[in-house]
Amino acid sequence: TTIWSVGSADGDPFAPGTASFMINYRVADLKALLQVLRSEGCNVLDKVEFGQFGWVLDPEGNKVELWEPPPGR
């Protein structure tokens, strides 16, 4: 599932990305995916929220959000 997010008045949720939008991907195993992305040299942000959200910066500096839904969803 792909979701496009737009800015909000509550700070800059896309920082440190350089775009005014963020792509969100629903993933099956966030921890494993982040590990693979790191091993391939991707710019994975250290911050993980709620154990279900992680972020990576693409080569153009855009922030990409990865979300692992709770079991059963």
Side-chain angles (χ1 to χ4, degrees), residues 18-45:
T18 56
S20 60
F21 64 90
M22 179 170 47
I23 299 172
N24 305 67
Y25 289 106
R26 184 176 179 160
V27 301
D29 187 343
L30 178 64
K31 184 177 178 179
L33 178 58
L34 293 177
Q35 186 175 31
V36 168
L37 291 172
R38 280 188 186 98
S39 72
E40 292 182 359
C42 294
N43 187 357
V44 176
L45 302 180

Side-chain angles (χ1 to χ4, degrees), residues 43-64:
N43 187 357
V44 176
L45 302 180
D46 289 330
K47 182 178 179 183
V48 175
E49 286 188 8
F50 310 114
Q52 295 180 18
F53 287 91
W55 295 271
V56 62
L57 294 179
D58 73 9
E60 289 82 35
N62 301 309
K63 188 175 179 183
V64 177

